[in-house]
Amino acid sequence: MEIRRTSRPYLLVLLMLLGLWLGSVLAKGASNQSTSQTWQHQQQQQQQRYQSQLNESQSQPEELEILETTSAVVSSPHETHLTRTSVIFGLTKVANESSVSQKCHAQLRQVQRGILGKQPWAMKVLDASGTKPSGFVYGQNYWLGSREACRGVQRPVGITLSKNFDRVMHYGIITQKAPFDMDYRVLYLRHSSPWQVEIKLMSEQIIHIGLCLPSACSSEEVKKLAQDYVTGGTFAENEIFDIQPEVVYMKDLQLKEEFFERASFRLLVACVLATGVLMLCAQQLKATKKLESSTEEADPGLAPAESEVWRGLNSLLQLEKLQKYIPCWDVPANWAKIFAVRENSPNEIPLMNGLRSVCAIWIMVFHVVWFMYFTVHNKTVLISYAEQAFFQYVSSAPLLVDVFFTISGFLQTFNFLRNSQQLEAVRRNSFVGNLKLFGKLLFHRYLRLGPLYLVVMATVDLVYAYIGDVSVYHINERFDEMCSKHWWRNLLFIQNLFDHRDMCANWSWSLACEMQFFILANALLFLYVKYPKIVKALVASSFVATIAWSYSIGLSIKFQLSFDAAFATGTEIYTSPFVRVLPYILGAATAWLFLENRIQLEISEPKERFCWHLALLVFFACIYSTVKRDLGPLMAITLFVMGRLFFSLSVCWMIARSCSGRGVWWSRLLEAKGFQHVSRLSYAIYLLNPLVIALFYSLTNASTHADPFMLCVVTCGFAVIVYLASILFSLAFELPFSNLSSLLNRRQSKPKSA
């Protein structure tokens, strides 16, 4: 009995717990149902609110179009701040009917009221227009705003947003359009602020201000308004940083009609059409020969629609003389030549392929950094990177041009002295006969280098005319203007004899030096055949004279190794043939010692390896010799001259020993067969890489940031683009003329050998 009495309380507790559990389950179900109904109600309200905002934003432009220009000006506590900090708002404040057209004035006033009233389209105009960002002290002169945001003022942004989420934004910033046409333009101001690092490397004192403006306002009107605004005492940045701005000009970023009337445009179109016709003729001639050699009467595989074209080409190919030269433009054959890789023959110097390839790519890396300078917004940081020890391999890359001069001097002398038939002809010929032979050599040199070079010059003129119109950046080096004025200098390869600031494609100075050195070397080699002692004395005198000239010029202009001084003295030091002839002389002297005197340097294997490694050490020591740049004029010019001297001597050692079949592990890498392909493209790479890099940088809509890691990625991208462009230009404008030169040489040598 006691057991029953004691078990009842536990049973009661269990029943109570069970009741509580059932009650909580029922309450939770009711709560969930209520929450679900509330959530559905909120979603319906949100969708209704979204739809009402959408409809309101879409209908607002129609309402805005009928606003009267005489309506009351909206007041705002931010008006004073906007007037002093926002250029676009400041222009709307200084505009009046006497300074601009009535339509422009009315639309600017409407922009002002829209900004003060925080209408979505006007807020987009304010946001798209540039204001001063941080970083002015280190060179941030690109107040570009957003070109894409200005386009969004004119047309809705193509973006889809889900209606299932609650958003705090005004939906009108996506859908609402301006009540009149707007476009993006860039205003350029020259400043004289003492609060910015002045590097003196072109155009760093030009402020770029992007403005989203009514299309009814002309650029001249905006320029006048801008001048009134920046000099009126309301521009806050002028007071803070003592900018002292001066309006230079304004761009509407539209391609002008004169672009298609340029002589370079017509020339390029004619070159492309003529090259295309010659390539088609070469293919047709090849197909005809295959058909004639075939015993089967097969259809040549031409489509009926193309038959008229091919018949026209066939009539052109009936000329027998033309048939001899047309195969020079055979695309499959030239493609095979570019990509051909074969075993190195004993008569070749395979190390040169590696040197050419590596140096061409190395110089391209330098150009990536050089042209980045004109679009980067932290110029001071970029220059500080260039002066660091780790980045000397980039900042000293212009020294690598001496590698090409050394190779050219060596090959010119080596090939001339090795050609016994030509030497005998020079000995026999009279002055007039040698003059004709000299002219023939010069003609073939021009035929090999000239066509691609001149086509690239025309392309430079056209590209810079294009980016001068449409790029947001101020283009300091207007090569389109220089090429139009001084094209004849490039045609004659004498552009380096004038100021480097007046050159058409100033990176082509080295080709002018090459041609001048070629003419001088040929004249001395012709003279050497009959008067060797006189030529030896002349070469020795030239060697001493170029060193003395470099010292005298360097001391007279107080030469320094800083980047600003190096750029300012480019005409006297960097591009002068009297200074740059030193490596060419050393290369020619090395070839003469190797061939004429038959010097055979017999040293032991360990000493051979030591000398190779010493040459590499000297090579890189000269590259890194400018890590300390704050030197006096005497030390700076000594380092410049002696550095180039020992640098060229190290290259001469590599070439001469490779010609003897010697080398070490790293020289064998430079002799790898893979470099044969890149070496064939090195001329096109050298000519095209500055053009490609400048074009792509200029077409960006926002300034770049100097960052080593991103620079590596950008450099790889440029390398691929330049490589592909080099193949295209080499196929069209280099290899055909090289083939033509070889063909003419063979035809001219046949009668003599007979």
Side-chain angles (χ1 to χ4, degrees), residues 601 603-613 653 657 662-664:
L601 186 61
I603 56 177
S604 63
E605 192 68 25
K607 289 182 179 178
E608 178 83 23
R609 288 198 300 269
F610 172 78
C611 290
W612 272 100
H613 296 321
W653 166 270
R657 299 309 288 172
R662 304 298 182 89
V664 290

Side-chain angles (χ1 to χ4, degrees), residues 223-457:
K223 277 177 59 180
K224 188 177 184 307
L225 291 179
Q227 189 64 42
D228 293 342
Y229 172 66
V230 297
T231 58
T234 56
F235 188 34
E237 310 304 341
N238 186 21
E239 298 178 4
I240 298 172
F241 288 95
D242 301 326
I243 290 177
Q244 305 173 42
E246 174 193 353
V247 177
V248 183
Y249 68 104
M250 189 172 198
K251 278 204 288 191
D252 58 8
L253 309 182
Q254 302 296 320
L255 187 63
K256 297 181 176 62
E257 293 182 0
E258 291 82 2
F259 175 82
F260 300 101
E261 298 174 1
R262 300 185 69 86
S264 56
F265 179 80
R266 298 192 185 99
L267 178 63
L268 277 179
V269 170
C271 287
V272 170
L273 290 177
T275 302
V277 169
L278 289 169
M279 288 178 173
L280 288 174
C281 287
Q283 291 306 107
Q284 177 65 2
L285 185 63
K286 192 174 182 180
T288 304
K289 288 182 178 180
K290 284 183 178 179
L291 188 62
E292 290 174 355
S293 62
S294 174
T295 57
E296 300 176 3
E297 295 183 0
D299 181 29
L302 303 176
E306 297 174 332
S307 59
E308 292 297 330
V309 177
W310 289 120
R311 276 200 290 269
L313 294 178
N314 275 326
S315 62
L316 185 63
L317 291 172
Q318 296 305 314
L319 298 172
E320 187 177 349
K321 288 186 178 181
L322 196 60
Q323 291 182 10
K324 299 175 183 177
Y325 304 113
I326 284 295
C328 295
W329 279 264
D330 186 358
V331 175
N334 289 335
W335 180 275
K337 283 184 181 180
I338 290 178
F339 288 92
V341 176
R342 52 181 174 76
E343 294 295 333
N344 296 313
S345 66
N347 295 328
E348 293 178 341
I349 308 173
L351 182 80
M352 288 186 179
N353 292 328
L355 283 176
R356 282 199 194 101
S357 303
V358 171
C359 291
I361 296 171
W362 202 335
I363 291 172
M364 186 201 70
V365 174
F366 168 78
H367 284 147
V368 171
V369 179
W370 173 256
F371 286 98
M372 186 186 197
Y373 175 84
F374 303 104
T375 64
V376 77
H377 55 241
N378 54 339
K379 290 178 168 56
T380 307
V381 176
L382 182 64
I383 296 296
S384 70
Y385 283 146
E387 294 198 11
Q388 293 176 15
F390 179 77
F391 293 102
Q392 283 300 298
Y393 71 94
V394 176
S395 56
S396 297
L399 182 61
L400 297 173
V401 178
D402 286 352
V403 173
F404 292 99
F405 288 152
T406 307
I407 291 175
S408 295
F410 184 92
L411 286 178
Q412 175 65 19
T413 306
F414 187 79
N415 292 332
F416 189 94
L417 296 179
R418 201 171 55 163
N419 191 338
S420 57
Q421 184 180 356
Q422 184 172 269
L423 290 175
E424 187 61 30
V426 172
R427 288 191 187 98
R428 291 196 318 264
N429 286 345
S430 62
F431 176 77
V432 176
N434 280 332
L435 197 61
K436 290 180 179 179
L437 181 58
F438 184 89
K440 170 192 164 185
L441 295 175
L442 182 59
F443 168 76
H444 283 281
R445 179 75 171 180
Y446 201 101
L447 185 60
R448 288 175 179 270
L449 297 182
L452 176 61
Y453 168 66
L454 297 177
V455 167
V456 170
M457 292 305 103

Side-chain angles (χ1 to χ4, degrees), residues 22-146:
L22 289 172
S24 65
V25 169
L26 293 174
K28 186 175 182 181
S31 175
N32 285 342
Q33 184 177 3
S34 174
T35 302
S36 176
Q37 293 174 351
T38 304
W39 181 83
Q40 291 177 358
H41 181 65
Q42 290 176 348
Q43 286 294 316
Q44 292 175 356
Q45 288 182 337
Q46 179 181 337
Q47 290 180 4
Q48 291 174 358
R49 184 167 62 254
Y50 174 82
Q51 192 63 38
S52 64
Q53 287 187 359
L54 191 64
N55 294 335
E56 181 184 356
S57 65
Q58 289 175 343
S59 64
Q60 268 186 325
E62 297 177 358
E63 297 172 2
L64 290 169
E65 290 178 359
I66 61 174
L67 285 175
E68 296 291 337
T69 57
T70 57
S71 59
V73 177
V74 181
S75 61
S76 170
H78 308 297
E79 185 172 355
T80 303
H81 173 73
L82 287 170
T83 304
R84 292 180 57 79
T85 58
S86 171
V87 177
I88 182 65
F89 191 83
L91 296 182
T92 66
K93 292 291 289 183
V94 299
N96 55 66
E97 293 183 352
S98 63
S99 58
V100 296
S101 66
Q102 183 178 1
K103 186 177 181 182
C104 173
H105 177 254
Q107 292 181 0
L108 285 174
R109 296 286 287 175
Q110 198 162 341
V111 169
Q112 180 188 137
R113 289 195 302 273
I115 292 173
L116 295 177
K118 293 189 176 181
Q119 296 177 12
W121 71 270
M123 296 301 289
K124 288 193 286 184
V125 170
L126 178 66
D127 182 62
S129 301
T131 56
K132 180 192 165 299
S134 59
F136 177 77
V137 171
Y138 281 170
Q140 173 54 289
N141 289 331
Y142 303 104
W143 311 359
L144 293 172
S146 174

Side-chain angles (χ1 to χ4, degrees), residues 613-626:
H613 296 321
L614 179 62
L616 185 65
L617 179 64
V618 171
F619 184 94
F620 281 102
C622 295
I623 291 287
Y624 282 83
S625 62
T626 55

